[in-house]
Amino acid sequence: MLAGRKILLIITGGIAAFKAIDLIRMIKRAGGDVQPILTASASEFVTPLTVGALAGNQAQSALFDLTRESEIGHIELVRDADLIVVAPATANFIAKMANGLADDLASTAILARDKHVIVAPAMNVKMYEAEPTQRNLKMLVEDGMQIVGPDEGEMACGEFGPGRLSEPETIFAAIEDYFHTHSNDLPLKGKRVLITSGATREPLDPVRFLTNASSGKQGTAIAKTLRAAGAEVEFVTGAAEVPPPDGVNITEVGSAQDMYDAVHEVLPCDVAIFCAAVSDWRPKSVGAEKIKKKGDGEAPSLEMVLNPDILKSVAALPAGERPELVIGFAAETENVIEHARAKFERKGCDWLLANDVSANTGTFGGDNNSIVFFDEQTHQEWGPMSKSEVGHKLVSKIASHLKISD
Ligand code: CTP
């Protein structure tokens, strides 16, 4: 949640400069404002035109631009920003920052800074490990800068080791974290939000259960963004492939009935989001011991009973107990719009996010999602986009809804 935040993004010259493009997109989608500065060598890797067009602000590079100096000037570029990010930061630029050199717009802006700086190094592994670079990085930390990465892996030059620019998602998370810990006007501050995530497990006996392919990635991404927006997050999770986010209250559950109980236990809240893939049925009886094979060729048949519908039960709570916004998800494998609209009516929720989870979409377990968002009147398509972008879009929408209704 970066609404209204101004980020001065310094891009220095390196093969990883193209990743700055993704970072700009993420900041913009999260509602942030990006003012890019390119060093002369960065312009060899990405064009100022592309960067400027994506950022929605002209990319600056020349120190002595008289028009610009008279309009705002390089000092104002820094004063105007809430945060400075250097990504990618080359060994050369790190050396300049560490030693106070100021011979172009980017290094001058750094020397004139009065804001926090996040530095994401990217260089050849030998250059990274070289003593002068390590010394310089240490000096940057002593000067109060924050270093993100680098990652380890195969480099563009073919060598292997630390030196790769951190993924844009990681740099973006550091930006969000910065604003989360240094902000008093977060959009969901004071709001309590419940979110269910992951897959339920319905036991058959002590060693077997029925479940589904939910990875928990979408719920986790939303919970992270809710927290970054200042909400108090109640994260009720079934089985998941990804670890739960930091800074949220976690309740781990097994079956749908456990999830139902946990949800009703943590209520009341302002917003409730039902992202979990809940099993609709459970085996009628659960064996106290492992169910044994009876004989060759004989398979047991399962009698199933219905699980409680958690979303429906919360949406049906009387005014005063019902969260102001109840948001459901719909996992569909065919006729997404038709089925999701019917589900929206049936569940009694305020918004519904439908996704196509048929095998060829890769939604279950993948990093991307395509959503059809429903409210009472209309529906609109979101994506395809990353699960974390779905989180940002949803949380922005929640924040504006709560602001209007306050
Ligand atoms: N849900 C729930 N409790 C259940 C079943 C589903 O809270 N017992 C919630 C899910 O978390 C999701 C929404 O209801 O937000 C829709 O889930 P989905 O599996 O798509 O729908 P079902 O109700 O299971 O309907 P169907 O299986 O017919 O598609």
Side-chain angles (χ1 to χ4, degrees):
M1 182 60 45
L2 299 178
R5 305 296 182 194
K6 291 189 178 165
I7 291 139
L8 185 65
L9 175 64
I10 297 177
I11 306 173
T12 72
I15 194 86
F18 75 94
K19 284 195 188 170
I21 304 277
D22 286 339
L23 182 61
I24 295 174
R25 283 205 187 98
M26 285 177 195
I27 299 171
K28 296 283 294 176
R29 281 193 185 134
D33 187 68
V34 183
Q35 172 58 63
I37 294 183
L38 268 68
T39 59
S41 53
S43 311
E44 303 285 328
F45 293 94
V46 284
T47 75
L49 210 64
T50 315
V51 171
L54 276 170
N57 283 315
Q58 200 186 336
Q60 303 296 328
S61 55
L63 178 55
F64 299 109
D65 177 338
L66 287 182
T67 341
R68 185 137 195 101
E69 282 300 312
S70 61
E71 276 169 7
I72 24 176
H74 64 275
I75 304 289
E76 268 75 4
L77 279 179
V78 180
R79 298 290 172 271
D80 220 30
D82 297 307
L83 174 70
I84 304 173
V85 178
V86 189
T90 58
N92 184 52
F93 197 72
I94 287 170
K96 278 164 78 169
M97 290 193 289
N99 291 285
L101 266 70
D103 62 353
D104 62 2
L105 181 61
S107 51
T108 308
I110 290 288
L111 196 59
R113 75 184 181 278
D114 58 351
K115 303 289 160 30
H116 184 65
V117 183
I118 294 178
V119 179
M123 66 200 72
N124 163 275
V125 54
K126 292 285 179 292
M127 290 171 81
Y128 176 70
E129 284 169 348
E131 276 170 16
T133 305
Q134 290 303 315
R135 250 192 332 263
N136 289 333
L137 282 167
K138 225 184 205 165
M139 278 163 79
L140 295 189
V141 173
E142 276 169 23
D143 288 348
M145 295 192 190
Q146 178 186 348
I147 315 293
V148 175
D151 284 356
E152 201 169 299
E154 194 171 347
M155 322 277 309
C157 57
E159 290 186 27
F160 191 89
R164 280 165 62 103
L165 180 69
S166 286
E167 289 306 317
E169 286 79 6
T170 311
I171 304 170
F172 180 76
I175 295 173
E176 273 196 319
D177 258 14
Y178 171 77
F179 286 118
H180 185 250
T181 42
H182 293 85
S183 182
N184 299 318
D185 59 346
L186 292 164
L188 292 183
K189 207 176 169 105
K191 300 290 177 192
R192 209 171 126 76
V193 183
L194 157 76
I195 176 161
T196 69
S197 183
T200 59
R201 287 178 169 180
E202 307 301 327
L204 274 162
D205 66 20
V207 294
R208 300 188 182 95
F209 52 80
L210 297 174
T211 189
N212 58 67
S214 170
S215 62
K217 285 184 180 174
Q218 184 61 82
T220 303
I222 297 170
K224 262 188 200 162
T225 315
L226 288 166
R227 178 198 162 255
E232 179 193 347
V233 182
E234 289 292 344
F235 187 67
V236 178
T237 181
E241 281 171 25
V242 287
D246 291 333
V248 303
N249 303 323
I250 301 162
T251 311
E252 285 176 358
V253 298
S255 66
Q257 184 64 52
D258 293 344
M259 189 172 269
Y260 178 96
D261 295 341
V263 161
H264 285 273
E265 178 78 31
V266 299
L267 287 173
C269 62
D270 301 291
V271 179
I273 305 169
F274 295 88
C275 198
V278 184
S279 173
D280 293 322
W281 326 276
R282 63 177 183 276
K284 188 172 180 185
S285 58
V286 182
E289 305 300 335
K290 185 181 171 216
I291 303 167
K292 302 296 281 180
K293 236 189 318 195
K294 287 205 181 92
D296 283 345
E298 206 185 324
S301 45
L302 280 179
E303 197 182 340
M304 308 286 275
V305 289
L306 267 183
N307 271 329
D309 190 317
I310 312 165
L311 164 60
K312 207 168 167 181
S313 71
V314 173
L317 286 171
E321 287 176 44
R322 186 189 192 274
E324 187 175 335
L325 256 182
V326 177
I327 304 168
F329 271 74
E332 305 294 347
T333 54
E334 48 162 359
N335 302 334
V336 176
I337 309 265
E338 238 170 87
H339 285 167
R341 176 55 76 188
K343 201 171 277 180
F344 176 84
E345 309 292 345
R346 204 163 66 232
K347 299 270 185 175
C349 51
D350 303 300
W351 296 347
L352 187 100
L353 281 76
N355 48 13
D356 187 343
V357 294
S358 47
N360 60 348
T361 60
T363 302
F364 262 164
D367 292 326
N368 294 318
N369 213 344
S370 291
I371 297 282
V372 187
F373 173 90
F374 291 81
D375 62 12
E376 188 72 52
Q377 288 90 32
T378 55
H379 68 263
Q380 48 179 256
E381 290 186 17
W382 295 1
M385 52 174 68
S386 72
K387 288 185 175 174
S388 92
E389 281 160 29
V390 170
H392 289 298
K393 211 168 157 68
L394 179 62
V395 173
S396 279
K397 230 176 153 59
I398 294 171
S400 4
H401 177 90
L402 295 182
K403 211 166 171 185
I404 296 165
S405 59
D406 261 357

